[in-house]
Amino acid sequence: KIKKASGGSAEILVGSCTNAPAEKEFARGMTHIMLADFKDPQNLKQTLDSPEIVADLVAIPSLVFDFHPNVVKTAEKNGVGSLKHTVFIKFKTEAPVGALVAGYIGLTDKIEEMKGFEWGPFANDMNRNGVADKQEVELTNGFEYVFITTFYSVKDRDAYLVHEAHDAYLQQLVPHMADFSVMDFVAY
């Protein structure tokens, strides 16, 4: 279930995993997701300056990252009832990242059920010295990019997962991934 809180320094969505049966294992033990939109980047840095918070986050299966989304397509119904399909990727060093991102973006024109789409590299400068450190890599699990697709229903997400354009894209993408995770949740 999702809880949405706003006001103050952040807007937050929290939900439990609703991955499709064929993708349950891709959640990698994570059972909940929290997306926080910090209005002021300093608030994120202050939150991560707390040793207690960071220790808790590293102790449980979790991802903590900052990213500045490139919004490709905005869903008309982006809140209550929408399903967020989040994909986290670490690409292999030699991967043609630009072409792979362009291919993912291209799916928005081929698959009607994709109502919203945004993506971006992790802005892994959450720490204080401007360089990703060991603790930050632990918090991001080494992932470098996030892709978030909005669907209006589980049925729409399931249609996307078996769509021929999605299957063809996966044939191009998978050989270039060093690691990945998938976590879906429905906003209530």
Side-chain angles (χ1 to χ4, degrees), residues 6-11 36-44:
S6 61
S9 62
E11 183 172 312
D37 180 5
F38 285 87
K39 303 304 179 199
D40 179 352
Q42 275 306 111
N43 292 327
L44 173 62

Side-chain angles (χ1 to χ4, degrees), residues 136-156:
E136 189 167 296
V137 170
E138 287 176 359
L139 291 173
T140 64
N141 287 280
F143 295 119
E144 301 166 331
Y145 289 83
V146 62
F147 301 86
I148 303 173
T149 304
T150 301
F151 299 99
Y152 289 164
S153 68
V154 170
K155 180 181 172 187
D156 287 351

Side-chain angles (χ1 to χ4, degrees), residues 50-127:
S50 165
E52 297 83 20
I53 290 174
V54 172
D56 287 344
L57 291 170
V58 171
I60 59 174
S62 60
L63 290 169
V64 178
F65 62 92
D66 186 16
F67 94 111
H68 310 288
N70 297 291
V71 178
V72 174
K73 187 174 184 178
T74 303
E76 289 180 28
K77 298 184 286 183
N78 202 21
V80 175
S82 65
L83 184 144
K84 302 290 187 184
H85 176 71
T86 56
V87 179
F88 305 96
I89 297 176
K90 177 177 181 163
F91 289 106
K92 292 179 179 175
T93 305
E94 69 282 356
V97 175
L100 295 168
V101 169
Y104 208 151
I105 291 169
L107 294 178
T108 63
D109 292 328
K110 298 174 183 173
I111 304 175
E112 180 182 334
E113 290 82 4
M114 295 176 74
K115 301 301 184 186
F117 183 74
E118 57 191 294
W119 72 277
F122 286 5
N124 290 344
D125 184 15
M126 296 180 288
N127 59 17

